[in-house]
Amino acid sequence: MPRIAEARPSAEPSSPGQKARHQRILRAAARQGAENGLERVQMLDVAKEAGVAIATLYRYFPSKTHLFTAVLADQVARLEEATFAAKPGQDPVEAVAELLIHASRQLLRRPLLANAMMQSNNAAHAGTVADAVRIDSTFRELILRTLGLDEPTDHDLRLVRLLEQGWYGVLTQSLNMRVEPADAEADIRLACTLLLVDRSNA
């Protein structure tokens, strides 16, 4: 379990040079997290691999909680770049299921990293780890966009939140090898069907 994030926000990169350093840090952290898992990752090793001073690393990421929550935010942002809108004739609920299954498969390819990201995100306090809020909002927008909802109701938002929580739980069980991948994907499809039935074309 990562230590709770320090009570100060991360610095945000602004210049091209800062953004490049920021990305190098995220790539180094992802590689080391995938190889070593959260507990064995050392911040100094991440800084060395990224080619930055340790003070620079801590400026952007005051703790491993900040760091691996940011890695997850980066992964979610890459999902956002993909197009998961329902294809002509496709049920939008099925399109959401495909989105969540795709995200699960991507994360499960590197289980140690996935665990590191999820543990950190769980420990992140929204007041000091801005990426935790960014993850929630980006993922919510992804699902709503896939459903084709430009003006969701409060009820829509509540259902999407429940779906996110259900998917997160299924993913956790998959990482802990308490459910087989095929069963996990079937569970995700069922959750989408039950929670989003009002949005189905079926």
Side-chain angles (χ1 to χ4, degrees), residues 168-179 187:
Y168 204 82
V170 171
L171 181 60
T172 299
Q173 287 197 317
S174 297
L175 285 166
N176 293 335
M177 294 183 286
R178 290 164 62 184
V179 62
D187 290 349

Side-chain angles (χ1 to χ4, degrees), residues 19 26 43 55 85 116 126 138 144 146 162 180 197:
K19 290 177 180 178
L26 293 179
M43 296 290 268
T138 302
L144 292 171
T146 304
L162 286 171
E180 293 296 322
V197 62

